[in-house]
Amino acid sequence: MIKLAISGSQGRMGQRITALALQDKIFKISALLESKNRPDVPLLSHNIPVNFEDAALKGSDVLIEFTTPEATLEHLKACQQYGVNMVIGTTGLTSTQITQIKKASSKIAIVFSSNMSVGVNLVFSLVRQAAQITGKDYSITLSETHHVHKKDAPSGTAKTMAEFAEIHSKTKVKDIASIREGEIIGDHTITFESPVDRLSIHHHAKTRDIFAEGSLVAAKFLSKKKKGLFNMQDVLGLK
């Protein structure tokens, strides 16, 4: 059994992760965390206490974190203190903050990915293959669309797609277009274009459950790890 802690437990993602974890017998929810700046949240959720102190992490095996960069770094320190592995899906992190995550992976095991979706990580693999074959003969553009509440742009997923494309094609991505409208969960399209043809790889997220489900797959992966930095490509064996 995996003792699972969930950060931002009363947010949209946190609630879905909690609901899905409760349906999976391999998990026991050991802690539901929330920000001290949210006095409006209930004291109980699914008959489980909602905690505002990092000490609630003690005794957990894995923490799933989809929150803010500031909260993520605070919990990173606590997880190192209590020996808790982390699944980090937080986006908008600075290079300095990412360096701190990498450093922490020498003490605990971390899955850090811009997108926890199994489907999107399959797309990353397809982008790698397409970039290797098309190389410098094709120009590359990206577009991503998300709901109006998303603060970072381009999305972390778009940045990762661009990174895969640039590394394996040895050419720069020409443009990343970011659109914010309505309640769109997430659309991503990468296009490889030459004078004679155009190739597009597209992913459309129907619900946030794809990210919640992926994070639980990552948590199961981490339950067998002591330390190290991993991403969803590692989790799914797509490298």
Side-chain angles (χ1 to χ4, degrees):
M1 183 171 287
I2 300 169
K3 297 175 184 177
L4 183 69
I6 301 167
S7 181
S9 62
Q10 302 310 296
R12 287 178 293 183
M13 272 299 299
Q15 290 186 51
R16 290 310 301 152
I17 293 167
T18 301
L20 292 173
L22 286 170
Q23 295 172 21
D24 191 332
K25 292 181 180 179
I26 201 169
F27 293 109
K28 177 183 179 182
I29 296 180
S30 53
L32 294 177
L33 295 181
E34 256 305 338
S35 169
K36 298 172 186 176
N37 298 322
R38 290 199 60 186
D40 56 311
V41 302
L43 297 179
L44 283 176
S45 180
H46 300 279
N47 289 319
I48 304 168
V50 177
N51 289 281
F52 301 91
E53 301 296 334
D54 295 348
L57 287 168
K58 190 174 182 180
S60 296
D61 296 316
V62 182
L63 169 67
I64 297 180
E65 183 84 33
F66 282 85
T67 57
T68 65
E70 295 74 24
T72 299
L73 268 293
E74 178 185 329
H75 293 148
L76 183 68
K77 293 177 184 177
C79 282
Q80 291 176 81
Q81 179 182 352
Y82 298 119
V84 181
N85 291 338
M86 287 186 78
V87 174
I88 301 176
T90 302
T91 59
L93 291 153
T94 66
S95 58
T96 300
Q97 290 168 330
I98 291 171
T99 297
Q100 289 179 261
I101 291 171
K102 291 178 178 178
K103 186 177 179 181
S105 69
S106 65
K107 296 182 179 179
I108 59 174
I110 300 171
V111 170
F112 175 43
S113 183
S114 61
N115 195 303
M116 295 290 169
S117 159
V118 171
V120 166
N121 278 276
L122 178 56
V123 165
F124 290 159
S125 185
L126 293 173
V127 169
R128 179 175 65 242
Q129 293 179 56
Q132 287 172 339
I133 294 169
T134 58
K136 294 183 178 180
D137 295 330
Y138 285 67
S139 63
I140 309 170
T141 57
L142 264 160
S143 67
E144 56 95 354
T145 305
H146 284 85
H147 51 83
V148 294
H149 314 289
K150 187 169 180 62
K151 296 177 181 179
D152 56 314
S155 68
T157 300
K159 289 179 180 177
T160 301
M161 289 172 74
E163 182 182 344
F164 271 77
E166 290 179 347
I167 289 172
H168 295 286
S169 69
K170 303 292 192 295
T171 187
K172 281 293 213 179
V173 170
K174 193 175 178 181
D175 182 49
I176 301 178
S178 297
I179 301 167
R180 299 289 176 264
E181 63 182 26
E183 295 296 331
I184 296 170
I185 304 298
D187 284 347
H188 292 87
T189 303
I190 187 167
T191 301
F192 299 82
E193 186 164 3
S194 77
V196 295
D197 66 353
R198 180 189 298 119
L199 166 68
S200 292
I201 302 171
H202 176 76
H203 183 271
H204 169 70
K206 292 182 177 181
T207 78
R208 287 182 179 81
D209 280 9
I210 64 169
F211 313 121
E213 289 173 353
S215 71
L216 293 174
V217 172
K220 291 175 184 178
F221 172 86
L222 281 185
S223 69
K224 301 172 184 177
K225 304 294 181 183
K226 296 296 183 183
K227 60 182 179 180
L229 183 65
F230 309 92
N231 58 32
M232 285 300 288
Q233 297 284 297
D234 296 308
V235 172
L236 300 172
L238 292 173
K239 288 189 172 179

